[in-house]
Amino acid sequence: MPQGAQADPLVIAAFGDSLSAGYRLSPEDAFPARLETALKARGHDVQVLNASVSGDTTTAGLARLDWSLGEEVDAAIVELGANDALRGLPVDTTRDNLEAIVRRLRERGIAVLLAGMKAPRNMGEEYADAFDAIYPDLARSEDVLLYPYFLEGIPVSPETVMADGMHPTAAGVELIVEGILPSVEKLISRSGEDRAPRG
């Protein structure tokens, strides 16, 4: 690197659904913005893009993957599947879509952190067990980082979860960021190796 040259910020895309898009929250309270703030406070030179779309299934995410994430993206947090489970979509479809997303990102040299989801228990034990297993199985087979459950540690209370019982409030988002931060720092380490300045 020439003397005085600096690498551009490492660009992380939050690629998911309403849980990471910031449903009914201001942009500055959404997961990508709060994660970027937390990472910068820990000394990381990063930009976290909000590449999430409320209501997305894994099928919709796969369909928009290539145009949603530009060449500037170095790493991605893949947070999809909750809407598949709520709709009772076939587990094999969800697995195939997530596998295709992860593989396509890796082919582009984008490091991946897969954020796990859990199916509602009212979908039946067999469905829930099969769905929940998608994420650890895929992380293992594709050799990507795993954060086992995106909503881990969030109590169901008016302070942390909206009245719909599903979406995090601003306080809930802070808990998500606090929980996932060590995994994102591992993602940064994996994606930051041998980076050169752009341009």
PDB file of all heavy atoms in Angstrom, residues 8 17-18 26 40 47 50 55 57 63 67 76 88 108 126 137 154 170 194:
ATOM      1  N   ASP A   8     -10.598   1.786   2.213  1.00  0.00           N
ATOM      2  CA  ASP A   8     -11.955   2.266   2.428  1.00  0.00           C
ATOM      3  C   ASP A   8     -12.580   1.510   3.587  1.00  0.00           C
ATOM      4  O   ASP A   8     -12.129   0.422   3.950  1.00  0.00           O
ATOM      5  CB  ASP A   8     -12.788   2.038   1.161  1.00  0.00           C
ATOM      6  CG  ASP A   8     -12.323   2.898   0.003  1.00  0.00           C
ATOM      7  OD1 ASP A   8     -11.991   4.070   0.240  1.00  0.00           O
ATOM      8  OD2 ASP A   8     -12.271   2.381  -1.124  1.00  0.00           O
ATOM      9  N   ASP A  17     -35.008  -9.416   6.266  1.00  0.00           N
ATOM     10  CA  ASP A  17     -36.413  -9.042   6.174  1.00  0.00           C
ATOM     11  C   ASP A  17     -36.714  -7.929   7.172  1.00  0.00           C
ATOM     12  O   ASP A  17     -35.818  -7.168   7.538  1.00  0.00           O
ATOM     13  CB  ASP A  17     -37.301 -10.275   6.395  1.00  0.00           C
ATOM     14  CG  ASP A  17     -36.931 -11.051   7.660  1.00  0.00           C
ATOM     15  OD1 ASP A  17     -36.552 -10.411   8.669  1.00  0.00           O
ATOM     16  OD2 ASP A  17     -37.010 -12.295   7.644  1.00  0.00           O
ATOM     17  N   SER A  18     -37.956  -7.837   7.638  1.00  0.00           N
ATOM     18  CA  SER A  18     -38.356  -6.728   8.501  1.00  0.00           C
ATOM     19  C   SER A  18     -37.602  -6.687   9.824  1.00  0.00           C
ATOM     20  O   SER A  18     -37.456  -5.623  10.429  1.00  0.00           O
ATOM     21  CB  SER A  18     -39.862  -6.808   8.786  1.00  0.00           C
ATOM     22  OG  SER A  18     -40.202  -8.049   9.379  1.00  0.00           O
ATOM     23  N   SER A  26     -37.430   4.370  13.104  1.00  0.00           N
ATOM     24  CA  SER A  26     -36.708   5.376  12.334  1.00  0.00           C
ATOM     25  C   SER A  26     -35.432   4.744  11.795  1.00  0.00           C
ATOM     26  O   SER A  26     -34.914   3.788  12.385  1.00  0.00           O
ATOM     27  CB  SER A  26     -36.370   6.581  13.214  1.00  0.00           C
ATOM     28  OG  SER A  26     -35.504   6.185  14.265  1.00  0.00           O
ATOM     29  N   LYS A  40     -18.320   0.999  15.282  1.00  0.00           N
ATOM     30  CA  LYS A  40     -17.423   2.159  15.264  1.00  0.00           C
ATOM     31  C   LYS A  40     -16.955   2.499  16.670  1.00  0.00           C
ATOM     32  O   LYS A  40     -15.795   2.904  16.867  1.00  0.00           O
ATOM     33  CB  LYS A  40     -18.121   3.349  14.610  1.00  0.00           C
ATOM     34  CG  LYS A  40     -18.237   3.226  13.103  1.00  0.00           C
ATOM     35  CD  LYS A  40     -18.890   4.447  12.481  1.00  0.00           C
ATOM     36  CE  LYS A  40     -18.853   4.376  10.961  1.00  0.00           C
ATOM     37  NZ  LYS A  40     -19.532   5.547  10.336  1.00  0.00           N
ATOM     38  N   GLN A  47     -18.934   0.392   7.317  1.00  0.00           N
ATOM     39  CA  GLN A  47     -20.223   0.943   6.902  1.00  0.00           C
ATOM     40  C   GLN A  47     -21.184  -0.229   6.822  1.00  0.00           C
ATOM     41  O   GLN A  47     -20.880  -1.242   6.192  1.00  0.00           O
ATOM     42  CB  GLN A  47     -20.109   1.633   5.541  1.00  0.00           C
ATOM     43  CG  GLN A  47     -21.423   2.225   5.044  1.00  0.00           C
ATOM     44  CD  GLN A  47     -21.288   2.825   3.657  1.00  0.00           C
ATOM     45  OE1 GLN A  47     -20.241   2.711   3.008  1.00  0.00           O
ATOM     46  NE2 GLN A  47     -22.339   3.468   3.175  1.00  0.00           N
ATOM     47  N   ASN A  50     -28.238  -1.068   4.862  1.00  0.00           N
ATOM     48  CA  ASN A  50     -29.543  -1.695   5.075  1.00  0.00           C
ATOM     49  C   ASN A  50     -30.025  -2.236   3.735  1.00  0.00           C
ATOM     50  O   ASN A  50     -30.586  -1.516   2.914  1.00  0.00           O
ATOM     51  CB  ASN A  50     -30.545  -0.685   5.647  1.00  0.00           C
ATOM     52  CG  ASN A  50     -31.815  -1.369   6.131  1.00  0.00           C
ATOM     53  OD1 ASN A  50     -32.139  -2.475   5.720  1.00  0.00           O
ATOM     54  ND2 ASN A  50     -32.545  -0.686   7.001  1.00  0.00           N
ATOM     55  N   GLY A  55     -41.044  -8.233   4.812  1.00  0.00           N
ATOM     56  CA  GLY A  55     -41.908  -9.198   4.146  1.00  0.00           C
ATOM     57  C   GLY A  55     -41.190 -10.210   3.282  1.00  0.00           C
ATOM     58  O   GLY A  55     -41.813 -11.155   2.789  1.00  0.00           O
ATOM     59  N   THR A  57     -39.362 -13.316   1.864  1.00  0.00           N
ATOM     60  CA  THR A  57     -39.082 -14.727   2.109  1.00  0.00           C
ATOM     61  C   THR A  57     -37.685 -15.013   1.562  1.00  0.00           C
ATOM     62  O   THR A  57     -37.056 -14.155   0.929  1.00  0.00           O
ATOM     63  CB  THR A  57     -40.089 -15.613   1.375  1.00  0.00           C
ATOM     64  OG1 THR A  57     -40.006 -15.327  -0.033  1.00  0.00           O
ATOM     65  CG2 THR A  57     -41.513 -15.353   1.865  1.00  0.00           C
ATOM     66  N   ALA A  63     -34.117 -13.803  -5.244  1.00  0.00           N
ATOM     67  CA  ALA A  63     -34.451 -13.142  -6.507  1.00  0.00           C
ATOM     68  C   ALA A  63     -33.823 -11.755  -6.617  1.00  0.00           C
ATOM     69  O   ALA A  63     -33.488 -11.312  -7.716  1.00  0.00           O
ATOM     70  CB  ALA A  63     -35.966 -13.038  -6.656  1.00  0.00           C
ATOM     71  N   TRP A  67     -28.896  -7.627  -7.516  1.00  0.00           N
ATOM     72  CA  TRP A  67     -28.990  -6.178  -7.666  1.00  0.00           C
ATOM     73  C   TRP A  67     -29.066  -5.453  -6.331  1.00  0.00           C
ATOM     74  O   TRP A  67     -28.866  -4.232  -6.264  1.00  0.00           O
ATOM     75  CB  TRP A  67     -30.171  -5.786  -8.551  1.00  0.00           C
ATOM     76  CG  TRP A  67     -31.525  -6.242  -8.095  1.00  0.00           C
ATOM     77  CD1 TRP A  67     -32.210  -7.334  -8.527  1.00  0.00           C
ATOM     78  CD2 TRP A  67     -32.387  -5.593  -7.140  1.00  0.00           C
ATOM     79  NE1 TRP A  67     -33.432  -7.420  -7.896  1.00  0.00           N
ATOM     80  CE2 TRP A  67     -33.577  -6.373  -7.053  1.00  0.00           C
ATOM     81  CE3 TRP A  67     -32.286  -4.442  -6.370  1.00  0.00           C
ATOM     82  CZ2 TRP A  67     -34.632  -6.029  -6.201  1.00  0.00           C
ATOM     83  CZ3 TRP A  67     -33.342  -4.099  -5.520  1.00  0.00           C
ATOM     84  CH2 TRP A  67     -34.497  -4.887  -5.448  1.00  0.00           C
ATOM     85  N   ALA A  76     -21.611  -9.926   4.427  1.00  0.00           N
ATOM     86  CA  ALA A  76     -23.068  -9.871   4.522  1.00  0.00           C
ATOM     87  C   ALA A  76     -23.559 -10.659   5.729  1.00  0.00           C
ATOM     88  O   ALA A  76     -23.055 -11.746   6.023  1.00  0.00           O
ATOM     89  CB  ALA A  76     -23.710 -10.422   3.248  1.00  0.00           C
ATOM     90  N   GLY A  88     -45.423 -21.307   6.727  1.00  0.00           N
ATOM     91  CA  GLY A  88     -45.380 -22.761   6.627  1.00  0.00           C
ATOM     92  C   GLY A  88     -44.855 -23.262   5.302  1.00  0.00           C
ATOM     93  O   GLY A  88     -45.252 -24.341   4.829  1.00  0.00           O
ATOM     94  N   ARG A 108     -18.725 -14.537  -4.938  1.00  0.00           N
ATOM     95  CA  ARG A 108     -18.352 -13.138  -5.161  1.00  0.00           C
ATOM     96  C   ARG A 108     -17.278 -12.660  -4.185  1.00  0.00           C
ATOM     97  O   ARG A 108     -16.903 -11.491  -4.204  1.00  0.00           O
ATOM     98  CB  ARG A 108     -19.594 -12.244  -5.033  1.00  0.00           C
ATOM     99  CG  ARG A 108     -20.596 -12.427  -6.159  1.00  0.00           C
ATOM    100  CD  ARG A 108     -21.831 -11.568  -5.935  1.00  0.00           C
ATOM    101  NE  ARG A 108     -21.504 -10.169  -5.724  1.00  0.00           N
ATOM    102  CZ  ARG A 108     -22.397  -9.231  -5.425  1.00  0.00           C
ATOM    103  NH1 ARG A 108     -23.676  -9.548  -5.299  1.00  0.00           N
ATOM    104  NH2 ARG A 108     -22.022  -7.973  -5.236  1.00  0.00           N
ATOM    105  N   GLU A 126     -42.413 -31.487  14.240  1.00  0.00           N
ATOM    106  CA  GLU A 126     -41.624 -32.021  13.133  1.00  0.00           C
ATOM    107  C   GLU A 126     -41.155 -30.904  12.212  1.00  0.00           C
ATOM    108  O   GLU A 126     -39.980 -30.848  11.815  1.00  0.00           O
ATOM    109  CB  GLU A 126     -42.444 -33.047  12.346  1.00  0.00           C
ATOM    110  CG  GLU A 126     -41.675 -33.724  11.228  1.00  0.00           C
ATOM    111  CD  GLU A 126     -42.493 -34.795  10.516  1.00  0.00           C
ATOM    112  OE1 GLU A 126     -43.597 -35.136  10.975  1.00  0.00           O
ATOM    113  OE2 GLU A 126     -42.010 -35.280   9.464  1.00  0.00           O
ATOM    114  N   ASP A 137     -26.847 -26.572  10.046  1.00  0.00           N
ATOM    115  CA  ASP A 137     -26.430 -27.507   9.002  1.00  0.00           C
ATOM    116  C   ASP A 137     -25.782 -26.779   7.831  1.00  0.00           C
ATOM    117  O   ASP A 137     -24.737 -27.190   7.309  1.00  0.00           O
ATOM    118  CB  ASP A 137     -27.631 -28.316   8.494  1.00  0.00           C
ATOM    119  CG  ASP A 137     -28.122 -29.339   9.507  1.00  0.00           C
ATOM    120  OD1 ASP A 137     -27.441 -29.534  10.538  1.00  0.00           O
ATOM    121  OD2 ASP A 137     -29.198 -29.924   9.277  1.00  0.00           O
ATOM    122  N   ILE A 154     -34.036 -11.654  23.665  1.00  0.00           N
ATOM    123  CA  ILE A 154     -34.976 -10.538  23.708  1.00  0.00           C
ATOM    124  C   ILE A 154     -36.227 -10.967  24.474  1.00  0.00           C
ATOM    125  O   ILE A 154     -36.982 -11.825  24.003  1.00  0.00           O
ATOM    126  CB  ILE A 154     -35.375 -10.072  22.302  1.00  0.00           C
ATOM    127  CG1 ILE A 154     -34.148  -9.606  21.532  1.00  0.00           C
ATOM    128  CG2 ILE A 154     -36.398  -8.957  22.379  1.00  0.00           C
ATOM    129  CD1 ILE A 154     -34.458  -9.107  20.153  1.00  0.00           C
ATOM    130  N   ALA A 170     -36.920  -0.231  19.375  1.00  0.00           N
ATOM    131  CA  ALA A 170     -35.555   0.299  19.368  1.00  0.00           C
ATOM    132  C   ALA A 170     -34.734  -0.342  20.489  1.00  0.00           C
ATOM    133  O   ALA A 170     -33.558  -0.675  20.301  1.00  0.00           O
ATOM    134  CB  ALA A 170     -35.578   1.815  19.512  1.00  0.00           C
ATOM    135  N   ASP A 194      -6.340  -9.251   3.873  1.00  0.00           N
ATOM    136  CA  ASP A 194      -5.751  -8.924   2.569  1.00  0.00           C
ATOM    137  C   ASP A 194      -6.605  -7.979   1.734  1.00  0.00           C
ATOM    138  O   ASP A 194      -6.572  -8.034   0.494  1.00  0.00           O
ATOM    139  CB  ASP A 194      -5.478 -10.197   1.752  1.00  0.00           C
ATOM    140  CG  ASP A 194      -4.541 -11.141   2.483  1.00  0.00           C
ATOM    141  OD1 ASP A 194      -3.615 -10.647   3.132  1.00  0.00           O
ATOM    142  OD2 ASP A 194      -4.737 -12.351   2.400  1.00  0.00           O
TER     143      ASP A 194
END
